[in-house]
Amino acid sequence: IRESNPLKTINDEIFVYVTKKQKEIDELKKLELFRREFLADVSHEFKTPIFAAQGFIHTLLDGAMDDENVRERFLVKAAKNLDSLDVLVKDLLVLSQMETGDIKMNIVPMDIRLLTTNIFSRLENIATDRNVTLRVKPDDLPEVWVKADADRLEQVMLNLIENAIKYGNEGGKVIVHFNEGKKYVEIAVRDNGPGIPYEHLNRIFERFYRVDKSRSKDIGGTGLGLAIVKHILNAHDTKIAVMSKPEKGTTFSFKLEKAYISLVTDNSAQDPV
Ligand code: ADP
């Protein structure tokens, strides 16, 4: 039997207590820093469309209104900037609800293949503008049933497919692959665009992170799309992966639980153990 040393025991307890308090203080400091950075980022992102819209409207009020051509052009530009501000506010709201866990997931069986073809129809205009072909593979698969929150999964697929069209090559291809395993389906959104340089790959899921700032803003992105995708998939207990090769393209992929377990044994997609 070891002799107990009361002083050592008290010292140990104090040490554990101080370490715990220090950790709490560090955590609070981190949160405070995050809050300040977030506010700075948000104000910066708001400023751009507000200043632009203000500029067009004030120029009109200062006399440009009399020129019919300028009037129309400036009003369209002011409206566009206000529209992007609206998208930004909506995306921020979704992101903050996801981060605070305020959004309740409503997991139901759903056909992700049908969801994908519906999204293709919604994005037909921007795909046609960029002469991009949209495909689902394998093309003879009639349905792919997974367990997911229908509205949130729609946001995920819409963001990934829209990005693939916007950042892929003009005249390129966007393919959504479904790889069914026994318990899981792997979903991959692939483009054959310029790709994402390696040093940016693990940062693109951060809010407001853009690889090419000016290009992304021209395209109309808020810089929040992939941060939202990551949160939604986390809430489905799964993770998003990205693979990219310069000039070969980019693939975003994730796994979802199958809604119905197939009786046919198929080992083509590896289920997580
Ligand atoms: P954004 O609103 O700017 O599109 P996202 O969060 O959706 O914001 O994407 C972050 C950045 O990741 C984009 O600005 C773009 O630089 C890059 N990116 C996303 N998807 C692709 C893709 N398929 N190919 C190349 N770059 C991409």
Side-chain angles (χ1 to χ4, degrees), residues 159-160 163-164 166-168 191 195-196 204 206 209-212 216 220-227 250 252:
N159 265 315
L160 295 179
N163 275 353
K166 290 187 315 190
Y167 299 110
D191 66 62
I196 302 169
I204 52 172
E206 292 172 21
Y209 192 85
R210 297 157 174 122
V211 177
D212 181 342
S216 169
T222 61
L224 295 175
L226 289 178
T250 305
F252 286 91

Side-chain angles (χ1 to χ4, degrees), residues 127 131-135 171-175:
N131 197 16
V132 169
T133 319
L134 306 173
R135 287 266 176 285
K173 273 189 208 151
V174 172
I175 302 176

